[in-house]
Amino acid sequence: MKHTTQGPGRRPSSQQWAAWAFLAPVTVYLVLFYAYPLYRNVDLSLRHYTVRSFVRGDAPFTGLQNYLTVFDDPTFAPALLHTVVFTAVCLAFQYAVGLALAVFFNQHFRLSSTLRALFLVPWLLPLIVSASTWSWMLNSDSGIVNAALHTVGIGPVNWLTSPNWSLASVIIANIWIGVPFNLVLLHSGLQSIPAGLYEAAALDGANAWQRFRHITFPLLRPVSAITLLLGLVYTLKVFDIIWIMTKGGPADSSATFATWSYQLGFGNLLPAFGPGAAVGNLLVVAALVFGLIYLRVQRKQALS
C-alpha cells in the first residue's frame, strides 16, 4: 500500500507552496495594516509620549497610567454617553428605515431599480462632501432647513452651535449616510427568501403584516445580525461627519470617543498621544466585544 503521509524531512509539495503563495499577500497585508498599527497604538497608550520622545522613540513606560488619566478626565463620561447615544440611535433608525425601504423595493414595481440606485447616492458620496452639505443645510443663518421651518412659522434653530441640538444634528446626518448600506444588505437578504412561502401564507389568509412578522423578519435574522454588527463597528468609529460639522462641540456637547481621541492626540498645541491612544483602544475593545458576542450567537444558532 502506498503511503500518502509525509515524513518529517520531506519537502512541501507544489500544492502546499501554491497555498502559501496565495496566503502570503493576505498575511503581509494584515500584519502591515492591522497588526502593526494596533501594536503601535497599544504601545502609545502604555507610555508617556511627548513630541520629543515621539520623534526620538525613548518614551518611558507608564503602564495603565494613561487609561487612569482618561477615566479621571471630566470629558470621559459625556463622551461615553454621546458615543452610546450616537451609536444606538443611528443603528436603530438606519436599520428600521433600511428595512422598510428594502421591503418596499422588493415589490419589483416599475422604476424600482432606478429609485433604489438613487438611494445609494448618500453612500457613494465622499464623507467630506456629505458632511459639508449637511453643515450648509443646517446653518443657523442661511441653511435650507431653517428656511423651511420659517415658512411654517417656526423660528431658527441653532443646529450646529447649540449644545442642545449639536448631537442630534450629527445623528441625523449619519443616519442619512448609513441607510443605503442597510438597504443594500437587507434587500439582498430578501431576495433569498422563497416566494412560495409568501404565496402559501396568502392562501392561508395571512395579511401583509403577518407575512412580514412570521416569514420575512425571522428568515432575515442572519442578514440582520451581520448588518447590525457592521453598522455598529462603523458607527463606533465615525469621525469625519462629527468633526466637519461640529468638531465635537460646542462645549463637547457632540464629542464621542472617536473625536475625543483625535482631539487629545492632534487637536492641541501640546498633544497627549498616550491618552489619545488609550481612548482609541477603548473603541477597539468595544468593537471586539460585540464581534465576539456576534460569533457566539451565530455558533449557538448553528448548533440549535
Side-chain angles (χ1 to χ4, degrees):
M1 180 182 293
K2 184 178 180 180
H3 295 283
T4 58
T5 58
Q6 294 183 358
R10 187 171 180 178
R11 295 181 178 180
S13 65
S14 58
Q15 293 182 346
Q16 291 176 322
W17 281 116
W20 281 109
F22 280 108
L23 186 62
V26 178
T27 304
V28 172
Y29 172 79
L30 292 176
V31 170
L32 290 179
F33 295 100
Y34 286 90
Y36 180 71
L38 182 60
Y39 160 76
R40 287 293 298 154
N41 204 59
V42 173
D43 181 70
L44 277 172
S45 69
L46 299 177
R47 297 180 182 273
H48 178 64
Y49 273 96
T50 62
V51 176
R52 179 179 179 181
S53 61
F54 187 83
V55 175
R56 297 178 59 179
D58 57 353
F61 181 80
T62 59
L64 299 177
Q65 183 58 45
N66 288 322
Y67 292 91
L68 296 177
T69 301
V70 166
F71 294 146
D72 292 336
D73 195 297
T75 309
F76 175 79
L80 175 61
L81 177 62
H82 298 159
T83 302
V84 172
V85 172
F86 179 84
T87 303
V89 175
C90 286
L91 277 181
F93 278 89
Q94 287 174 353
Y95 177 80
V97 176
L99 179 58
L101 291 174
V103 173
F104 174 72
F105 287 120
N106 198 43
Q107 306 302 316
H108 301 294
F109 56 90
R110 183 180 296 181
L111 298 180
S112 63
S113 299
T114 303
L115 292 176
R116 191 170 69 249
L118 291 176
F119 270 97
L120 297 180
V121 171
W123 191 28
L124 301 176
L125 288 175
L127 290 178
I128 188 173
V129 175
S130 300
S132 300
T133 302
W134 276 100
S135 296
W136 167 75
M137 292 173 59
L138 297 176
N139 186 275
S140 302
D141 301 321
S142 58
I144 190 174
V145 175
N146 276 348
L149 293 177
H150 178 71
T151 60
V152 294
I154 300 177
V157 178
N158 296 322
W159 296 99
L160 305 177
T161 57
S162 171
N164 298 325
W165 289 102
S166 59
L167 184 61
S169 301
V170 295
I171 287 176
I172 293 172
N174 192 66
I175 290 174
W176 179 79
I177 293 171
V179 164
F181 174 76
N182 287 258
L183 168 60
V184 170
L185 292 185
L186 295 173
H187 186 267
S188 64
L190 290 175
Q191 300 297 307
S192 63
I193 300 178
L197 295 178
Y198 294 104
E199 296 174 358
L203 291 176
D204 290 337
N207 55 33
W209 167 248
Q210 291 173 331
R211 292 196 297 269
F212 173 82
R213 180 182 176 184
H214 297 289
I215 298 177
T216 303
F217 196 72
L219 295 181
L220 204 61
R221 191 171 299 164
V223 178
S224 297
I226 190 62
T227 301
L228 290 173
L229 175 64
L230 294 176
L232 173 68
V233 174
Y234 168 78
T235 308
L236 277 175
K237 65 182 184 64
V238 167
F239 165 79
D240 316 65
I241 302 299
I242 302 175
W243 191 258
I244 293 172
M245 293 181 63
T246 65
K247 288 184 170 56
D252 294 329
S253 59
S254 60
T256 61
F257 275 0
T259 60
W260 187 33
S261 175
Y262 177 84
Q263 191 171 19
L264 287 171
F266 304 99
N268 301 309
L269 294 176
L270 296 176
F273 295 117
V279 176
N281 286 333
L282 293 178
L283 284 176
V284 173
V285 170
L288 287 175
V289 167
F290 284 106
L292 292 175
I293 292 174
Y294 167 77
L295 292 177
R296 185 167 183 176
V297 170
Q298 290 296 98
R299 185 178 301 174
K300 286 185 176 180
Q301 290 181 351
L303 294 177
S304 62

